[in-house]
PDB file of all heavy atoms in Angstrom:
ATOM      1  N   VAL A 274      13.962 -30.433  55.410  1.00 86.00           N
ATOM      2  CA  VAL A 274      14.089 -29.370  56.327  1.00 86.00           C
ATOM      3  C   VAL A 274      14.188 -29.765  57.719  1.00 86.00           C
ATOM      4  O   VAL A 274      15.039 -29.181  58.501  1.00 86.00           O
ATOM      5  CB  VAL A 274      12.933 -28.350  56.168  1.00 86.00           C
ATOM      6  CG1 VAL A 274      12.942 -27.276  57.191  1.00 86.00           C
ATOM      7  CG2 VAL A 274      12.820 -27.809  54.846  1.00 86.00           C
ATOM      8  N   ALA A 275      13.422 -30.826  58.132  1.00 89.00           N
ATOM      9  CA  ALA A 275      13.470 -31.153  59.561  1.00 89.00           C
ATOM     10  C   ALA A 275      14.716 -31.800  60.010  1.00 89.00           C
ATOM     11  O   ALA A 275      15.343 -31.379  61.000  1.00 89.00           O
ATOM     12  CB  ALA A 275      12.336 -32.216  59.779  1.00 89.00           C
ATOM     13  N   VAL A 276      15.243 -32.777  59.178  1.00 93.00           N
ATOM     14  CA  VAL A 276      16.505 -33.376  59.511  1.00 93.00           C
ATOM     15  C   VAL A 276      17.750 -32.359  59.474  1.00 93.00           C
ATOM     16  O   VAL A 276      18.510 -32.329  60.453  1.00 93.00           O
ATOM     17  CB  VAL A 276      16.791 -34.572  58.565  1.00 93.00           C
ATOM     18  CG1 VAL A 276      18.173 -35.164  58.769  1.00 93.00           C
ATOM     19  CG2 VAL A 276      15.805 -35.634  58.785  1.00 93.00           C
ATOM     20  N   GLU A 277      17.690 -31.561  58.466  1.00 93.00           N
ATOM     21  CA  GLU A 277      18.800 -30.677  58.410  1.00 93.00           C
ATOM     22  C   GLU A 277      18.805 -29.566  59.489  1.00 93.00           C
ATOM     23  O   GLU A 277      19.834 -29.039  59.877  1.00 93.00           O
ATOM     24  CB  GLU A 277      18.703 -29.942  56.908  1.00 93.00           C
ATOM     25  CG  GLU A 277      19.082 -30.811  55.859  1.00 93.00           C
ATOM     26  CD  GLU A 277      19.087 -30.306  54.468  1.00 93.00           C
ATOM     27  OE1 GLU A 277      18.751 -29.075  54.349  1.00 93.00           O
ATOM     28  OE2 GLU A 277      19.329 -31.028  53.431  1.00 93.00           O
ATOM     29  N   SER A 278      17.572 -29.264  59.875  1.00 91.00           N
ATOM     30  CA  SER A 278      17.493 -28.220  61.050  1.00 91.00           C
ATOM     31  C   SER A 278      17.900 -28.884  62.379  1.00 91.00           C
ATOM     32  O   SER A 278      18.724 -28.353  63.071  1.00 91.00           O
ATOM     33  CB  SER A 278      15.991 -27.773  61.234  1.00 91.00           C
ATOM     34  OG  SER A 278      15.750 -27.043  60.165  1.00 91.00           O
ATOM     35  N   VAL A 279      17.412 -30.191  62.638  1.00 93.00           N
ATOM     36  CA  VAL A 279      17.714 -30.736  63.977  1.00 93.00           C
ATOM     37  C   VAL A 279      19.246 -30.997  64.023  1.00 93.00           C
ATOM     38  O   VAL A 279      19.933 -30.810  65.029  1.00 93.00           O
ATOM     39  CB  VAL A 279      16.975 -32.087  64.042  1.00 93.00           C
ATOM     40  CG1 VAL A 279      17.610 -32.841  65.321  1.00 93.00           C
ATOM     41  CG2 VAL A 279      15.546 -31.795  64.237  1.00 93.00           C
ATOM     42  N   PHE A 280      19.795 -31.376  62.928  1.00 95.00           N
ATOM     43  CA  PHE A 280      21.288 -31.801  62.882  1.00 95.00           C
ATOM     44  C   PHE A 280      22.242 -30.613  62.400  1.00 95.00           C
ATOM     45  O   PHE A 280      23.416 -30.912  62.070  1.00 95.00           O
ATOM     46  CB  PHE A 280      21.584 -33.178  62.091  1.00 95.00           C
ATOM     47  CG  PHE A 280      20.876 -34.333  62.788  1.00 95.00           C
ATOM     48  CD1 PHE A 280      19.671 -34.742  62.386  1.00 95.00           C
ATOM     49  CD2 PHE A 280      21.566 -34.900  63.875  1.00 95.00           C
ATOM     50  CE1 PHE A 280      19.003 -35.778  63.103  1.00 95.00           C
ATOM     51  CE2 PHE A 280      21.046 -35.996  64.487  1.00 95.00           C
ATOM     52  CZ  PHE A 280      19.678 -36.395  64.096  1.00 95.00           C
ATOM     53  N   ALA A 281      21.656 -29.423  62.386  1.00 93.00           N
ATOM     54  CA  ALA A 281      22.388 -28.329  61.874  1.00 93.00           C
ATOM     55  C   ALA A 281      23.212 -28.618  60.623  1.00 93.00           C
ATOM     56  O   ALA A 281      24.454 -28.394  60.421  1.00 93.00           O
ATOM     57  CB  ALA A 281      23.393 -27.871  62.952  1.00 93.00           C
ATOM     58  N   TRP A 282      22.554 -29.169  59.680  1.00 94.00           N
ATOM     59  CA  TRP A 282      23.092 -29.726  58.391  1.00 94.00           C
ATOM     60  C   TRP A 282      22.966 -28.637  57.184  1.00 94.00           C
ATOM     61  O   TRP A 282      21.809 -28.250  56.957  1.00 94.00           O
ATOM     62  CB  TRP A 282      22.497 -31.052  57.990  1.00 94.00           C
ATOM     63  CG  TRP A 282      23.396 -31.766  57.137  1.00 94.00           C
ATOM     64  CD1 TRP A 282      23.335 -31.829  55.766  1.00 94.00           C
ATOM     65  CD2 TRP A 282      24.328 -32.782  57.495  1.00 94.00           C
ATOM     66  NE1 TRP A 282      24.258 -32.691  55.304  1.00 94.00           N
ATOM     67  CE2 TRP A 282      24.890 -33.208  56.361  1.00 94.00           C
ATOM     68  CE3 TRP A 282      24.801 -33.133  58.773  1.00 94.00           C
ATOM     69  CZ2 TRP A 282      26.043 -34.247  56.438  1.00 94.00           C
ATOM     70  CZ3 TRP A 282      25.768 -34.115  58.819  1.00 94.00           C
ATOM     71  CH2 TRP A 282      26.331 -34.614  57.647  1.00 94.00           C
ATOM     72  N   PRO A 283      24.049 -28.206  56.742  1.00 94.00           N
ATOM     73  CA  PRO A 283      23.879 -27.070  55.698  1.00 94.00           C
ATOM     74  C   PRO A 283      23.502 -27.518  54.320  1.00 94.00           C
ATOM     75  O   PRO A 283      24.245 -27.513  53.307  1.00 94.00           O
ATOM     76  CB  PRO A 283      25.299 -26.365  55.670  1.00 94.00           C
ATOM     77  CG  PRO A 283      26.209 -27.554  56.069  1.00 94.00           C
ATOM     78  CD  PRO A 283      25.487 -28.522  56.942  1.00 94.00           C
ATOM     79  N   GLY A 284      22.329 -28.092  54.201  1.00 93.00           N
ATOM     80  CA  GLY A 284      21.811 -28.638  52.959  1.00 93.00           C
ATOM     81  C   GLY A 284      20.769 -27.766  52.155  1.00 93.00           C
ATOM     82  O   GLY A 284      20.387 -26.705  52.527  1.00 93.00           O
ATOM     83  N   ILE A 285      20.330 -28.306  51.144  1.00 92.00           N
ATOM     84  CA  ILE A 285      19.360 -27.743  50.208  1.00 92.00           C
ATOM     85  C   ILE A 285      17.984 -27.426  50.893  1.00 92.00           C
ATOM     86  O   ILE A 285      17.449 -26.427  50.760  1.00 92.00           O
ATOM     87  CB  ILE A 285      19.011 -28.563  48.951  1.00 92.00           C
ATOM     88  CG1 ILE A 285      20.282 -28.846  48.219  1.00 92.00           C
ATOM     89  CG2 ILE A 285      17.860 -28.102  48.077  1.00 92.00           C
ATOM     90  CD1 ILE A 285      20.847 -27.636  47.524  1.00 92.00           C
ATOM     91  N   GLY A 286      17.547 -28.333  51.835  1.00 90.00           N
ATOM     92  CA  GLY A 286      16.371 -28.244  52.435  1.00 90.00           C
ATOM     93  C   GLY A 286      16.391 -26.939  53.314  1.00 90.00           C
ATOM     94  O   GLY A 286      15.335 -26.181  53.181  1.00 90.00           O
ATOM     95  N   ARG A 287      17.369 -26.673  53.935  1.00 91.00           N
ATOM     96  CA  ARG A 287      17.383 -25.585  54.802  1.00 91.00           C
ATOM     97  C   ARG A 287      17.581 -24.326  54.142  1.00 91.00           C
ATOM     98  O   ARG A 287      17.077 -23.211  54.328  1.00 91.00           O
ATOM     99  CB  ARG A 287      18.524 -25.704  55.908  1.00 91.00           C
ATOM    100  CG  ARG A 287      17.967 -25.571  57.342  1.00 91.00           C
ATOM    101  CD  ARG A 287      19.060 -25.845  58.382  1.00 91.00           C
ATOM    102  NE  ARG A 287      20.032 -24.887  58.299  1.00 91.00           N
ATOM    103  CZ  ARG A 287      21.355 -25.050  58.800  1.00 91.00           C
ATOM    104  NH1 ARG A 287      21.601 -26.252  59.379  1.00 91.00           N
ATOM    105  NH2 ARG A 287      22.261 -24.233  58.673  1.00 91.00           N
ATOM    106  N   LEU A 288      18.332 -24.311  53.020  1.00 92.00           N
ATOM    107  CA  LEU A 288      18.553 -23.242  52.111  1.00 92.00           C
ATOM    108  C   LEU A 288      17.234 -22.768  51.631  1.00 92.00           C
ATOM    109  O   LEU A 288      16.958 -21.543  51.603  1.00 92.00           O
ATOM    110  CB  LEU A 288      19.395 -23.607  51.004  1.00 92.00           C
ATOM    111  CG  LEU A 288      19.800 -22.447  49.977  1.00 92.00           C
ATOM    112  CD1 LEU A 288      20.741 -21.356  50.644  1.00 92.00           C
ATOM    113  CD2 LEU A 288      20.478 -23.026  48.729  1.00 92.00           C
ATOM    114  N   MET A 289      16.444 -23.774  51.271  1.00 89.00           N
ATOM    115  CA  MET A 289      15.052 -23.429  50.702  1.00 89.00           C
ATOM    116  C   MET A 289      14.072 -22.778  51.754  1.00 89.00           C
ATOM    117  O   MET A 289      13.444 -21.879  51.527  1.00 89.00           O
ATOM    118  CB  MET A 289      14.499 -24.612  50.021  1.00 89.00           C
ATOM    119  CG  MET A 289      13.502 -24.197  48.990  1.00 89.00           C
ATOM    120  SD  MET A 289      13.040 -25.386  47.651  1.00 89.00           S
ATOM    121  CE  MET A 289      13.828 -26.807  47.879  1.00 89.00           C
ATOM    122  N   TYR A 290      14.125 -23.375  52.913  1.00 87.00           N
ATOM    123  CA  TYR A 290      13.473 -22.975  54.017  1.00 87.00           C
ATOM    124  C   TYR A 290      13.733 -21.425  54.375  1.00 87.00           C
ATOM    125  O   TYR A 290      12.917 -20.678  54.611  1.00 87.00           O
ATOM    126  CB  TYR A 290      13.653 -23.841  55.285  1.00 87.00           C
ATOM    127  CG  TYR A 290      12.973 -23.369  56.402  1.00 87.00           C
ATOM    128  CD1 TYR A 290      11.554 -23.609  56.661  1.00 87.00           C
ATOM    129  CD2 TYR A 290      13.635 -22.810  57.513  1.00 87.00           C
ATOM    130  CE1 TYR A 290      10.948 -23.154  57.835  1.00 87.00           C
ATOM    131  CE2 TYR A 290      13.089 -22.372  58.638  1.00 87.00           C
ATOM    132  CZ  TYR A 290      11.709 -22.577  58.824  1.00 87.00           C
ATOM    133  OH  TYR A 290      11.091 -22.106  59.928  1.00 87.00           O
ATOM    134  N   ASP A 291      15.112 -21.232  54.440  1.00 86.00           N
ATOM    135  CA  ASP A 291      15.508 -19.896  54.676  1.00 86.00           C
ATOM    136  C   ASP A 291      15.069 -18.937  53.629  1.00 86.00           C
ATOM    137  O   ASP A 291      14.693 -17.713  53.952  1.00 86.00           O
ATOM    138  CB  ASP A 291      17.078 -19.760  54.673  1.00 86.00           C
ATOM    139  CG  ASP A 291      17.753 -20.409  55.984  1.00 86.00           C
ATOM    140  OD1 ASP A 291      16.906 -20.636  56.859  1.00 86.00           O
ATOM    141  OD2 ASP A 291      18.949 -20.643  55.971  1.00 86.00           O
ATOM    142  N   GLY A 292      14.961 -19.358  52.368  1.00 85.00           N
ATOM    143  CA  GLY A 292      14.498 -18.489  51.365  1.00 85.00           C
ATOM    144  C   GLY A 292      13.066 -18.159  51.516  1.00 85.00           C
ATOM    145  O   GLY A 292      12.642 -16.996  51.353  1.00 85.00           O
TER     146      GLY A 292
END
Side-chain angles (χ1 to χ4, degrees):
Chain A
V274 174
V276 173
E277 289 177 3
S278 294
V279 170
F280 291 97
W282 203 266
I285 297 296
R287 238 176 59 202
L288 181 69
M289 206 162 355
Y290 175 75
D291 286 347

